[in-house]
Amino acid sequence: MPVSALLKYFANSSHAVSSISVIEMLTSMDRSLVAGRACLLTGHVRIDRTFSLAQVRDGDTASWKSFFFKDKPRKMKISVCPVSGGWITVYSDYMYGTPVARFQVPEGDGLHFITLEAPTQVRPEGLTTLRMRFSGPEDRDLFTIGSFVFE
């Protein structure tokens, strides 16, 4: 779908665009996205003062609406600050089926960010909702997510 058609679609419809502006949405593959721009959080996870997703715990989720993929990404990178460690599973639209990517986060000191990289198992295209599900040891903070990018 051409950019002009997307702009017209959102300008002339009742479809809500999340906190990600249309321009940011259209360029989402060209630069990293601050994780704190999520439009829906469930569980214990919170957006901290640096716009990171902090206090992530087992079973929490985060979603970003209106993500536009002009090209099919081959890999995803995510910046995390490990605490207890765990898993990040990334989905396109629905949280079932084959994930877009899956990251194993090691244990860490909770002070230093690292970048993890994973190939995309499913390559999203067009307009989609990006969703992440977090898992790991129960009743403990797993990690903080700073940003992510598709390449």
Side-chain angles (χ1 to χ4, degrees):
M1 180 180 282
V3 172
S4 59
L6 278 171
L7 293 173
K8 184 176 179 182
Y9 171 79
F10 285 113
N12 297 322
S13 74
S14 60
H15 292 84
V17 177
S18 70
S19 60
I20 302 171
S21 73
V22 172
I23 299 304
E24 287 174 316
M25 172 188 72
L26 295 173
T27 60
S28 60
M29 281 188 52
D30 299 330
R31 63 174 190 246
S32 63
L33 180 68
V34 175
R37 300 296 299 266
C39 63
L40 177 65
L41 303 174
T42 65
H44 192 265
V45 62
R46 301 289 180 262
I47 298 172
D48 70 9
R49 60 182 170 75
T50 64
F51 289 97
S52 295
L53 296 184
Q55 301 174 359
V56 176
R57 294 199 175 173
D58 182 59
D60 291 355
T61 67
S63 299
W64 293 261
K65 286 174 52 177
S66 304
F67 232 82
F68 183 77
F69 290 93
K70 186 170 75 172
D71 301 311
K72 295 179 182 180
R74 296 196 176 279
K75 65 182 174 181
M76 182 179 178
K77 292 180 181 179
I78 191 163
S79 173
V80 297
C81 181
V83 181
S84 298
W87 288 90
I88 301 170
T89 308
V90 183
Y91 294 93
S92 175
D93 289 323
Y94 305 102
M95 284 196 233
Y96 56 83
T98 304
V100 172
R102 190 162 160 84
F103 299 90
Q104 183 175 9
V105 181
E107 286 189 41
D109 59 11
L111 301 173
H112 300 95
F113 278 85
I114 61 172
T115 300
L116 303 174
E117 185 176 307
T120 53
Q121 300 170 33
V122 172
R123 294 190 179 141
E125 61 182 318
L127 196 58
T128 186
T129 297
L130 192 68
R131 302 180 190 277
M132 291 185 191
R133 177 177 286 146
F134 312 111
S135 57
E138 291 184 15
D139 299 322
R140 298 194 310 186
D141 289 351
L142 305 178
F143 40 76
T144 296
I145 300 175
S147 62
F148 58 89
V149 65
F150 287 91
E151 296 179 347

